[in-house]
């Protein structure tokens, strides 16, 4: 497993296990499978309603927390300084941890204009030693600029939708300049037609890998942190087995041509739901 050194010196695995839309029951088994398969980072959130299951899996794995890297996120409904502190305590109780590795503001929800205040609560948790690193998710450049102008502790990552159909080169360049890692969510675009792209199929043949492995390897070589999700044991293993080959510059350039600025999720400026 490759690790990336975040801008505060903390080491984060470059590939982790995402658990969005995995219910509290299934999440125990699939997270355990992931840890057994070598994953050391788990990406959950208050909104996923499965933190208790993730916590159970961590305990059952027998791997000490120091060797794992657990991320959670505060949901829009808990934006604001005090509500965020409360959401954090609830997440920690469910996860059964006393210290989190990474805590993120899930969406900027700009209509409500609370993300700066919300991030101040993350800074307090960081200063208090409750969390080893803090960051944001779904932040556009305009949100990042505003945050960087006011914050004391810069975010270590910006977790955004990113895959070959939405390559996010502008945000990536901005984040690189500011020493913030891009973390790709929906890295496989949840499967389907993207696996049928000629370029992806050709590279899968060339390297004797699957389309999913080619796409995940592309994220790694784009210097992104990546958190694919699966509940299927064989795919959980497949998705981490990407560290034994390297795409050439030409292969990377060919995948770059697939960009069509096409999202699965909402644009962050339109994601203002609070419930
Ligand atoms: P993903 O791109 O990881 O796709 C997951 C789906 O792809 C699986 O359900 C399965 O259908 C398919 N798949 C996975 N591995 C496969 C394989 N090897 N072969 C064939 N099909 C395969 O999408 P995601 O779950 O939305 O994103 C990953 C993680 O990112 C989430 O679980 C969550 O932790 C995080 N996330 C964050 C946000 C955010 O707003 N910050 C939003 C969505 C997801």
């Amino acid at each position: 497993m490759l690790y990336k050194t975040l801008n505060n010196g903390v080491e984060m695995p470059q590939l982790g296990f995402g658990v969005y839309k995995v219910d509290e029951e299934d999440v125990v088994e699939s997270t355990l499978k992931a840890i057994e398969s070598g994953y050391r980072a788990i990406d959950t959130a208050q909104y996923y309603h499965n933190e208790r299951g993730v916590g159970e899996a961590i305990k059952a794995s027998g791997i000490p927390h120091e060797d794992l890297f657990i991320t959670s996120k505060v949901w829009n409904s808990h934006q604001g300084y005090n509500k965020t502190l409360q959401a954090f305590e609830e997440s920690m109780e469910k996860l059964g941890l006393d210290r989190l590795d990474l805590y993120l503001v899930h969406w900027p929800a700009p209509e409500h204009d609370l993300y700066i205040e919300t991030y101040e609560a993350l800074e307090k948790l960081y200063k208090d030693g409750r969390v080893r690193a803090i960051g944001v998710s779904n932040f556009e450049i305009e949100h990042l600029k505003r945050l960087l102008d006011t914050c004391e502790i810069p975010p270590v990552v910006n977790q955004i939708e990113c895959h070959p159909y939405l390559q996010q080169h502008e945000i990536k360049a901005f984040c690189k300049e500011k020493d913030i890692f891009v973390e790709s969510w929906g890295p496989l675009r949840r499967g389907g037609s993207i696996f049928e792209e000629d370029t992806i199929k050709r590279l899968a043949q060339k390297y004797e890998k699957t389309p999913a492995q080619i796409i995940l390897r592309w994220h790694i070589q784009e210097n992104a942190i990546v958190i694919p999700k699966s509940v299927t044991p064989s795919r959980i293993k497949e998705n981490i087995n990407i560290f034994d080959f390297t795409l050439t510059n030409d292969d990377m350039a060919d995948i770059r041509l697939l960009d069509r600025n096409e999202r699965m999720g909402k644009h962050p400026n339109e994601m203002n739901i609070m419930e």
Side-chain angles (χ1 to χ4, degrees):
M1 173 63 64
L2 282 178
Y3 281 74
K4 288 287 167 187
T5 305
L6 306 175
N7 63 27
N8 66 347
V10 166
E11 304 259 298
M12 177 173 185
Q14 198 181 356
L15 184 137
F17 185 60
V19 296
Y20 179 41
K21 290 196 173 159
V22 186
D23 67 33
E24 192 87 88
E25 263 170 51
D26 293 342
V27 86
V28 182
E29 202 180 318
S30 39
T31 304
L32 259 176
K33 188 76 215 168
I35 295 173
E36 271 167 36
S37 307
Y39 293 73
R40 288 295 174 264
I42 315 292
D43 183 86
T44 184
Q46 179 188 15
Y47 184 68
Y48 302 170
H49 300 292
N50 58 17
E51 289 168 308
R52 205 172 287 287
V54 169
E56 265 179 53
I58 294 170
K59 231 189 223 161
S61 75
I63 305 281
H65 178 200
E66 303 86 81
D67 296 337
L68 298 171
F69 191 98
I70 312 301
T71 300
S72 193
K73 319 179 188 87
V74 54
W75 183 242
N76 297 357
S77 57
H78 283 68
Q79 284 212 8
Y81 190 83
N82 288 326
K83 278 179 158 180
T84 295
L85 295 179
Q86 181 203 332
F88 179 80
E89 294 309 333
E90 284 171 16
S91 287
M92 296 303 277
E93 187 275 319
K94 289 180 180 153
L95 286 162
L97 300 175
D98 50 16
R99 196 159 75 135
L100 194 65
D101 297 289
L102 176 61
Y103 200 40
L104 306 179
V105 179
H106 206 144
W107 291 87
E111 247 178 40
H112 304 282
D113 198 17
L114 286 168
Y115 64 87
I116 297 289
E117 195 187 304
T118 302
Y119 192 81
E120 281 167 10
L122 269 58
E123 290 181 315
K124 172 170 172 51
L125 293 165
Y126 182 75
K127 288 186 203 161
D128 289 350
R130 304 299 312 283
V131 52
R132 295 171 66 221
I134 54 176
V136 295
S137 177
N138 299 301
F139 273 42
E140 292 289 303
I141 292 176
E142 57 184 303
H143 311 127
L144 286 171
K145 277 189 176 159
R146 194 170 154 220
L147 182 67
L148 289 168
D149 274 351
T150 56
C151 71
E152 245 182 276
I153 300 158
V156 295
V157 303
N158 182 22
Q159 186 183 114
I160 53 176
E161 180 181 343
C162 185
H163 42 72
Y165 287 168
L166 180 74
Q167 299 193 13
Q168 303 272 29
H169 291 299
E170 246 186 275
I171 299 189
K172 279 181 176 167
F174 182 84
C175 285
K176 188 174 176 201
E177 190 191 310
K178 304 292 180 192
D179 202 10
I180 298 168
F181 270 101
V182 163
E183 188 177 5
S184 302
W185 71 250
L188 297 170
R189 206 179 177 274
R190 303 195 180 134
S193 63
I194 202 161
F195 292 163
E196 299 301 320
E197 284 289 343
D198 285 346
T199 302
I200 303 294
K201 285 204 297 197
R202 179 174 58 75
L203 294 174
Q205 254 184 348
K206 173 176 169 187
Y207 292 99
E208 298 184 349
K209 290 283 177 183
T210 65
Q213 288 171 321
I214 296 297
I215 293 173
L216 293 172
R217 183 69 210 180
W218 169 80
H219 285 284
I220 295 289
Q221 290 183 221
E222 280 271 297
N223 205 33
I225 293 167
V226 67
I227 46 170
K229 171 238 162 184
S230 176
V231 291
T232 310
S234 59
R235 288 176 173 174
I236 292 174
K237 282 192 180 166
E238 177 184 324
N239 292 347
I240 197 179
N241 183 14
I242 57 165
F243 295 102
D244 58 352
F245 74 109
T246 306
L247 299 168
T248 65
N249 289 342
D250 283 350
D251 299 335
M252 292 294 287
D254 286 347
I255 296 178
R256 194 176 174 118
L257 295 174
L258 299 178
D259 195 5
R260 49 196 210 199
N261 201 24
E262 188 181 289
R263 288 175 193 277
M264 295 184 289
K266 281 194 176 165
H267 187 283
N269 281 334
E270 287 156 17
M271 182 62 179
N272 291 292
I273 57 161
M274 290 303 254
E275 67 274 3

